[in-house]
Amino acid sequence: MATATGGDVMVRMLQEFREMQEESKEQFTRTEKALKTVHMKCRVLFRKTQRLADRVHVFSEQVSAFSRQVSAFDEELNEFRDSMGELTTHVSTLTQEVYGIKSAQTRMFGQTGRMLHQLADAQASDRKRIDVLEERIDDPGEN
């Protein structure tokens, strides 16, 4: 009976061992499937990471180019400001010159006006003398 019991125990243990083997095979299959899935997802993630790194690189180059463009724009803006400063200086100088010309012309017109008035006064005075002389010539009795 001890042998029979010992044999039964051994059969049960073998049966349990076979069940564990089957379960182990199933678990191995599930694990392998899960590992393949993880491996595929890792490959997809790696490709996406590479694309992202490439895009970041392109973006970095664009930002660098943009930064150079901003720097160039800033330099151009500074040159523009300098040119505007020079233009303002030239316009100011021109304004002073035009003011000087205007003042000179105003003085010239004033002087011309005074000269015309003096000439008109002189003509009027001459006209009076001529009139007086003509009257004397026309009036022979007074001489």
Side-chain angles (χ1 to χ4, degrees):
M1 185 135 171
T3 312
T5 310
D8 287 342
V9 171
M10 197 59 140
V11 171
R12 262 193 319 200
M13 284 177 64
L14 276 173
Q15 199 174 15
E16 285 177 17
F17 182 74
R18 284 184 188 139
E19 287 174 7
M20 284 193 299
Q21 269 185 324
E22 287 299 318
E23 190 178 317
S24 178
K25 283 180 188 178
E26 289 174 15
Q27 192 172 16
F28 179 79
T29 303
R30 283 192 312 265
T31 303
E32 189 149 328
K33 186 178 176 183
L35 281 173
K36 284 180 182 178
T37 303
V38 167
H39 179 71
M40 292 302 289
K41 297 224 181 229
C42 283
R43 288 178 58 123
V44 168
L45 183 61
F46 178 74
R47 281 190 298 251
K48 287 182 179 182
T49 302
Q50 272 187 317
R51 277 184 278 175
L52 181 62
D54 291 344
R55 287 182 181 166
V56 166
H57 180 71
V58 168
F59 181 70
S60 174
E61 288 176 350
Q62 289 173 347
V63 166
S64 180
F66 180 72
S67 177
R68 286 190 298 272
Q69 288 176 348
V70 166
S71 180
F73 178 74
D74 191 41
E75 288 176 24
E76 289 178 19
L77 192 59
N78 286 336
E79 289 175 11
F80 178 74
R81 261 190 233 121
D82 293 344
S83 296
M84 286 300 289
E86 289 176 23
L87 178 63
T88 301
T89 300
H90 290 302
V91 167
S92 176
T93 302
L94 182 62
T95 301
Q96 290 173 354
E97 290 295 323
V98 168
Y99 179 75
I101 291 170
K102 180 182 169 192
S103 295
Q105 284 179 341
T106 301
R107 285 193 310 270
M108 286 171 44
F109 286 134
Q111 187 175 2
T112 302
R114 284 191 299 276
M115 288 172 56
L116 287 174
H117 283 297
Q118 287 174 354
L119 184 60
D121 288 344
Q123 276 184 330
S125 174
D126 288 346
R127 177 55 47 204
K128 285 180 187 176
R129 277 189 266 162
I130 290 171
D131 287 344
V132 168
L133 284 174
E134 284 178 349
E135 281 180 22
R136 285 185 186 168
I137 291 176
D138 288 339
D139 238 358
E142 286 188 17
N143 287 354

